[in-house]
Amino acid sequence: MNAHSIPVLAIDSLRVEYPLANGSVFTAVENASLVIRPGEIHALVGESGAGKTTIGNTVMGLLEKPGRIAAGTIQIDGKRFDAAKGSAAGIVLGRDVGAIFQDPMTSLNPLFTIEDQLMEAMRFHLKLDKAAARSRALELLESVGIPEPRRRLKAYPHQLSGGQRQRVVIAAALSCNPKLVVADEPTTALDVSVQSQILKLLRDLADSRGIGILLVTHNMGVVAQIADRVTIMHRGKVVETGTTQEVLRHPKAPYARALIGAVPRVDRRLDRFPVLGDEGKGRAEEARAELREKAERSEDVADEAPILSVENLCVDYTTSGWLPGSAGHRFRAVDGVSFSVRSGEVFGLVGESGCGKTTIANVVSGLVRPTAGRVLYRGRSIAGEGATHRIGPLRQAIQMIFQDPYSSLNSRMRIGSILSEPILFYRLADSRAEAESDVARLIEAVGLEADAAQRFPHAFSGGQRQRLSIARALGARPKLIVCDEPTSSLDVSVQAQILNLLKDLRDATGLTLLLISHDLAVVRQMCDRVAVMRQGQIVEQADSETLFDKPQHPYTQELLSLVPTLDRIRGETQAA
Amino acid sequence: MFKVLLSRLGQAALVMLVVSAVSFVMFRYVGDPVATMSRENASVEEKAELRRSLGLDQPLAVQYGRFLTRTLSGDLGISYRNQRPVTALIAERLPATLELVIVATILSLALGIPLGVLCALKPDGIAARLVQAVSLVGISTPTFVTGIVLILVFAVSLGWLPSFGRGQVVDLGWWSTGFLTVSGLKSLILPGITLALYQLTLIMRLVRAEMIDVLSSDYIRFAKARGLPTRYIHFRLALRNALMPVITVTGLQIGSLIAFAIVTETVFQWPGMGLLFIQAVSFVDIPVMAAYLLFVGLLFVLINTVVDILYAVVDPRLRARSA
């Protein structure tokens, strides 16, 4: 690209502040500078709270009150941004600056058709009449690669898949020929295969239309795949900036090195995830040892048989039909799946959304009834054929950790009550006092301070909440924990800590884990054996090393090739 | 959709059967109509004769069977007090109540929605705070107090508006309306406001809460990011999403307004269903009470079904789900 052309975005020593209620000021962004030229993709990377989204919002004029630009300048296409008005003269949001948001499921209004939502911006900004706007909407849908665009125009958002919706969002962002697009985590909510298509689309748009893209993301793999330049932020400050190749290959700042190190690798297995500064471990280890001791007193004899076996499991979801008596639509979510989990191992189930992996987790934990087949725990049927009603004690042995640590803890209960619930329910403590000391031990075992019991969930960060979810699962003294995407809503460094914690707990208490994830890198780092699922069936099942090094099934190979990794950096592939 | 509708109708029939059983039991066990109707010093023979002429000497099952057949053929019996068919009484009173309810509903929607939007858009403005405070008073003051205060101010002190009755009505065959005369319209104002007040505050608060919710949603942020005009975002996009639950609540409220406008009608001596019911209660006029019960049950079942259908019309997601 022409280095002398006017940059589409030039931010110079920007400071964004939020005045707080007590009179002090929280600085969300400090002294940030970056330049984006036409056709360039500039990635803004950092963990939650780093200030990257604040920069994106400020550029879009969407900075939430009472936030304000305290210092520095922003120029969009050479035009100076007015801090007081929150916009630049001659720059119209939506016309010159397009936006792509994270979650395509929620960024489209459910009550309006795709056509309505694409046309409105064009009608306001470009003053097109209805017919012209409609024909342009059709062109846009074609250009973002939506099949049958004419039909899709009349569709409502819920009739499209996540990937298609994100394409519609991109089409809306492009509708008025913007010079700059701010994409805030555009692929975080999508499957790897869809992600790779959307990333390709963004790259093409930058190359063919000369649009400058500010890509806000936490995913280093995405950065490596499409960004030209990278800026890494930490707590509101820019810690490193440069070309993608420089920054990812030779990070200089310690934080940048740590962040890049914490990214789970899909290409080789490490013993532990490198984390930024290890937490006080001594007490946690003691607590875990005590947990183990307690668990062993109630231990039944571990035998050689698999702890969990799933045999020919089928699950159908049915919807009612149009006419009374008509069978309705039947959807087979899980289709003849068999696998077994050995005692003490970590078994991974991988696949894209809709492949049935979560349904299996729900069957194993008793939340969904199978249509056919059965699930055995230590040789006794707990779901499906031959399952008895008296499976309470078996339930205790299988606990679950959910994906979203924000909604899986009851916000009206203190941590102490949340954690003591399973202990009291299964009568694992003789007295309330004993239950309380158990709770304290659990909290320490997951690396938090025991006084956490007095507080409510909102006092904790996402990572801490997930630790508490783990503590709650451990409270029932399970033999098997089903982890459904335990880290997919967490930052990389927090993810690394949680995964390390799960590994440590496994080593310390001899737990068995059934790990469900869409993230191949996480699965490789965690699991001993892996099953790859697609459309309700297992396509390949093997030791994790074998599976990742020599994938047999074409689908596994395809999935692996689509994962954005740090090994394929854009500058380098182009040079090669 | 069709299947959903059919199952709704099935449920409706079941509900109505239960309601009819309850209203029949009322016939049988609440008070003794013979005692109320006959002279104070009536002889035993006279009473037995009355009992026979009312059909109260038959076995229970026979009475219930007769009751059902009669009800289904539209005969709800004869009022003990007025000695006139209950159907005719209700048909006579229904227009008064319906007109009052229509006025109250329009009033509460026309004021409640804009005020709710105002409170959501400018939550810290003086107007919003004032509206919020007044609405709290509105929601916590009993209807009879509001009614009496309104009468005191506008009818007694100022003398602007009539304090009771429907004023002059125009007969349109089976419907008598107060909409066509000045005195009829004037008479509607005070009871209309009284009846609307509670519903108004309810709708206002609901719209406010929903609107605040919707305004913080991703799709509204995305609309802002596309640079759409603020008014367009607020009134064309967000309001439509915010009005979804208002449909349900308005539907249910219309039902309870018709059924329980009793207090307002009593305060204003409004010749509607409520007043009919109150009089029926004080005279143990069981056929009227039973018919009223049936009528209210039918009303709620109908309104709920309409609301369900309306919901599917407004929200495309529901259309798909039931298809």
Side-chain angles (χ1 to χ4, degrees), chain A residues 14-18 25-31 49 70 235-237:
Chain A
L14 177 73
R15 185 160 91 225
V16 180
E17 292 178 347
Y18 285 88
V25 166
F26 171 70
T27 308
V29 175
E30 198 170 357
N31 201 18
R235 299 200 179 139
K237 296 195 183 72

Side-chain angles (χ1 to χ4, degrees), chain A residues 161-231:
Chain A
S161 69
Q164 285 174 340
R165 288 191 213 189
Q166 196 64 312
R167 284 169 196 268
V168 171
V169 169
I170 293 174
L174 295 177
S175 62
C176 303
N177 290 318
K179 305 197 170 61
L180 171 70
V181 167
V182 178
D184 192 347
E185 305 273 7
T187 58
T188 306
L190 304 172
D191 277 330
V192 264
S193 58
V194 185
Q195 164 169 293
S196 100
Q197 292 164 13
I198 296 287
L199 292 179
K200 252 187 218 114
L201 176 63
L202 287 177
R203 190 64 247 178
D204 286 351
L205 292 172
D207 292 342
S208 62
R209 301 192 182 200
I211 297 171
I213 298 180
L214 177 63
L215 176 72
V216 176
T217 184
H218 72 279
N219 188 329
M220 286 291 177
V222 167
V223 173
Q225 195 175 336
I226 66 163
D228 300 298
R229 300 180 67 81
V230 188
T231 296

